[in-house]
Amino acid sequence: MKKLNKLFILVFLLFVQFNFAQDSLKLSANEFISIVKNYHPLALKYQLQNKIATAEITQARGSFDPVLGGKLGEKNIDGTNYYKQKNLELGIPTWYGIDIHGGYNYIEGDKLSNTETVGGLYQFGVTIPLAKNLLYDKRRAMLDQAKFAQKMTEAEQAVLTNELLLDAENKYLEWVQNYEIYKLKTEIIDINRERLKLTIKTFEYGEKPAIDTIEALSQLQSFELQQRDAFLTFVKTTQELQLFLWKENQQVYELSQMIYPSDDLTNNLAYTDYEFLINDVESRQISSHLSILYYNQKQNILESERRLKWQSFLPKVDFTYNFFNKENYKADYLPLFDNNFQYGLKLEIPIFQREARANYQIAKIKLNQNELDTNYKIRELDTKIETYKNEILNYRTQIELAENNLKNYERLLSAEETRYSNGESSLFLINSRENKVIEAQEKFISIRTKFLKSFNKLKWMKENFTL
C-alpha cells in the first residue's frame, strides 16, 4: 500500500507538471465551504440526527394515542354452547394521567359466570390516579424529555457542523499557504536562472571569476530542491483537501485536473473586520452559546427525570368508575352510585421505599453533575474566546513587524546587488542576502496564515451564539 501511495504521488506530480498551465481548476474559499456544507457526509449525518430527534417527539406522543380494540370468541363442547362473545373497546389517555375508556360487550351462552351480564352492554368509565402519577407520570415525562432532547440535539449538531466548517476553512488556508510558498520558490528559480546566465557571460568576458558561476549554480540548485519539496507539500495538502470534497449522492470528488486556490492570503476581509468581530463576540452573553444551551436542555431532561422519580414516594391510589347501560334499556345516569355502575379503588404502598429513595438520589446527583459540566463549559468557552482574541491581536501585530522586516531585507539585497555591479561585493553575499529575503517571505506567509486561522476560530465561535 505504501508503494502504491508513493507511485500515485509520483504519477500525480508528473501529471501536474505537464498540465498545470493549461488544465487547471480554481476553487475559492466560499465555493469550498458551500460544497462541504451541502455534500460532506458528516454535515448530512448531523442533519439526519435532527430528524431522528423530531421523530422521537412523535414517538413520545404515541403514548397519548387512543387505542381501539376488539375481541370475538366462542366456546362449544359436545353441543353445549359455553359462550359466544363480541367485544369492542376504546381507550383514550389524557395529559393529566386520567384514562377514559368505553366499549360495547355482547355475551351469551349456557355456561356463563354469575358476574357476566347476558346480552349487549355499553360501558363508559374513567381511571383516575389520586396520588402517584396524578401531577406527573411516565407518559408526560417521555414527551417533555423528547422535546428537550430535540433542542439539545439541534444545538449539538449546529456546533459540530460549525466545527467541521472551521476545520475545512483552515485546511483551505493551509492549502493556499503551501501554494503561495510553491509560487515563491518558482519565482526565485526564474530569477536565479537569469543570474546564472549573466554570471556565465561575465565569466566568459573575463569580468568575473569562475567561482562565481559555481556559486550561482549552487544557489539555483538549492532553490530547485526547495521548489520540489514545496510542490510535494502542496500536492499532499491538495489530497488532504480532497477529503472535504464530495458530490451529490455521496460520490467522492475525484481530481481529474489540477486544482488550485483562487483566493490568496493578502486579500481577505479579516484584516479590516477583526476588531468588529472581537467586539461582536465580547458583547454576547456566554449563556446564549449553543454549547450552554445543550447543557441547559440536558438539565431540563434530568429535572423531568427527577420529578418522575419523586412520584415513586407517593402511594399508588387508582380510582376506576364504570357506568353501564344494557342494550335496549333506557339509560339511568344519576345518581352515579345508585344503579348500573362499577367502581374500584386500588392501593399500593412500598414499605421501605428503598428503590424510590435510590432512584431519586441518583436523579439529584445527575443534576449536580450536569451543573458542574455547565460551569466548566462556560469557563472553557470564556478561555477560548480570550485565547482567540489574543491570537488575532498578536498575529496582527506580527504581520506588521514581518512586513517591515521583509522590506528591510529586500533593501539590503538591492543594495548588495548594486555593490556587486560596482565590483564592491561578491555573489556569495548576494546569495546570503537573498536567502534572508526568502526566509522573511516564508515567515510573512506563515504569520498571515496563523492570523486568518485565528480569525476563523473566533468567527465560527460567533456562529455558535444564538440571537
Side-chain angles (χ1 to χ4, degrees), residues 356-401:
R357 284 187 284 112
N359 288 336
Y360 188 72
Q361 186 68 18
I362 291 172
K364 290 179 64 177
I365 291 174
K366 288 182 178 180
L367 279 167
N368 291 336
Q369 286 178 329
N370 190 66
E371 289 175 356
L372 294 173
D373 289 339
T374 304
N375 293 333
Y376 179 79
K377 177 56 74 170
I378 290 174
R379 178 60 177 167
E380 182 182 52
L381 292 173
D382 282 333
T383 302
K384 282 186 176 181
I385 290 173
E386 192 66 22
T387 300
Y388 298 157
K389 183 186 74 173
N390 291 335
E391 284 181 359
I392 290 173
L393 296 175
N394 186 276
Y395 287 135
R396 189 67 185 90
T397 302
Q398 287 189 42
I399 287 175
E400 296 177 1
L401 293 174

Side-chain angles (χ1 to χ4, degrees), residues 269-279 392-393 396 400 451 455 458:
L269 294 176
Y271 298 112
T272 56
D273 292 351
Y274 71 94
E275 291 182 338
F276 173 78
L277 175 63
I278 291 174
N279 293 332
I392 290 173
L393 296 175
R396 189 67 185 90
E400 296 177 1
F451 168 80
F455 179 87
L458 194 62

Side-chain angles (χ1 to χ4, degrees), residues 220-266:
L220 174 60
Q221 290 173 337
S222 174
F223 285 130
E224 286 177 338
L225 288 173
Q226 293 179 31
Q227 185 209 32
R228 280 289 189 177
D229 187 61
F231 187 72
L232 179 59
T233 302
F234 172 63
V235 171
K236 287 181 178 179
T237 314
T238 304
Q239 290 176 309
E240 293 172 1
L241 195 78
Q242 191 177 356
L243 295 175
F244 292 92
L245 294 175
W246 294 78
K247 297 187 291 186
E248 290 184 275
N249 302 321
Q250 290 303 283
Q251 294 181 355
V252 178
Y253 189 93
E254 297 289 350
L255 289 176
S256 59
Q257 295 176 284
M258 183 56 192
I259 183 172
Y260 65 95
S262 60
D263 294 351
D264 55 40
L265 299 176
T266 304

Side-chain angles (χ1 to χ4, degrees), residues 287-338:
S287 58
S288 66
H289 193 277
L290 290 174
S291 294
I292 305 304
L293 177 61
Y294 171 90
Y295 283 105
N296 289 340
Q297 297 304 322
K298 185 177 179 180
Q299 190 80 355
N300 290 335
I301 292 175
L302 295 174
E303 176 62 25
S304 170
E305 191 67 19
R306 186 200 63 81
R307 290 178 59 194
L308 181 62
K309 297 304 182 184
W310 186 84
Q311 293 292 311
S312 299
F313 288 110
L314 302 177
K316 184 175 176 59
V317 184
D318 292 340
F319 173 76
T320 301
Y321 177 88
N322 290 305
F323 171 79
F324 299 107
N325 183 42
K326 200 169 182 183
E327 193 173 19
N328 300 323
Y329 280 73
K330 182 179 179 181
D332 189 5
Y333 298 104
L334 297 173
L336 294 178
F337 292 93
D338 187 31

Side-chain angles (χ1 to χ4, degrees), residues 105-256:
N105 183 61
Y106 179 87
I107 190 169
E108 64 178 6
D110 299 330
K111 300 289 185 178
L112 297 179
S113 169
N114 292 332
T115 60
E116 298 288 353
T117 302
V118 179
L121 186 68
Y122 293 98
Q123 171 188 340
F124 176 79
V126 294
T127 299
I128 304 173
L130 300 180
K132 182 181 179 180
N133 297 331
L134 176 62
L135 299 179
Y136 207 57
D137 61 2
K138 188 175 182 179
R139 293 181 306 197
R140 280 173 277 181
M142 287 178 60
L143 182 55
D144 284 344
Q145 291 176 22
K147 290 179 179 179
F148 297 140
Q150 182 189 35
K151 295 179 181 179
M152 183 176 168
T153 301
E154 289 174 350
E156 180 184 34
Q157 304 313 316
V159 171
L160 291 174
T161 299
N162 288 337
E163 288 179 354
L164 172 65
L165 297 178
L166 170 62
D167 290 342
E169 191 164 9
N170 281 348
K171 178 58 66 175
Y172 183 90
L173 287 175
E174 292 178 15
W175 186 50
V176 175
Q177 172 187 262
N178 292 331
Y179 177 65
E180 293 196 356
I181 291 176
Y182 167 68
K183 287 199 304 179
L184 172 65
K185 302 294 185 180
T186 303
E187 292 170 0
I188 293 300
I189 285 177
D190 293 337
I191 294 173
N192 276 265
R193 281 176 180 163
E194 293 299 321
R195 183 178 296 153
L196 176 61
K197 291 179 182 178
L198 180 61
T199 304
I200 291 174
K201 286 183 179 180
T202 55
F203 165 70
E204 291 174 347
Y205 294 152
E207 298 177 1
K208 299 294 180 181
I211 192 68
D212 279 4
T213 60
I214 298 176
E215 180 73 29
L217 179 60
S218 298
Q219 182 79 340
L220 174 60
Q221 290 173 337
S222 174
F223 285 130
E224 286 177 338
L225 288 173
Q226 293 179 31
Q227 185 209 32
R228 280 289 189 177
D229 187 61
F231 187 72
L232 179 59
T233 302
F234 172 63
V235 171
K236 287 181 178 179
T237 314
T238 304
Q239 290 176 309
E240 293 172 1
L241 195 78
Q242 191 177 356
L243 295 175
F244 292 92
L245 294 175
W246 294 78
K247 297 187 291 186
E248 290 184 275
N249 302 321
Q250 290 303 283
Q251 294 181 355
V252 178
Y253 189 93
E254 297 289 350
L255 289 176
S256 59

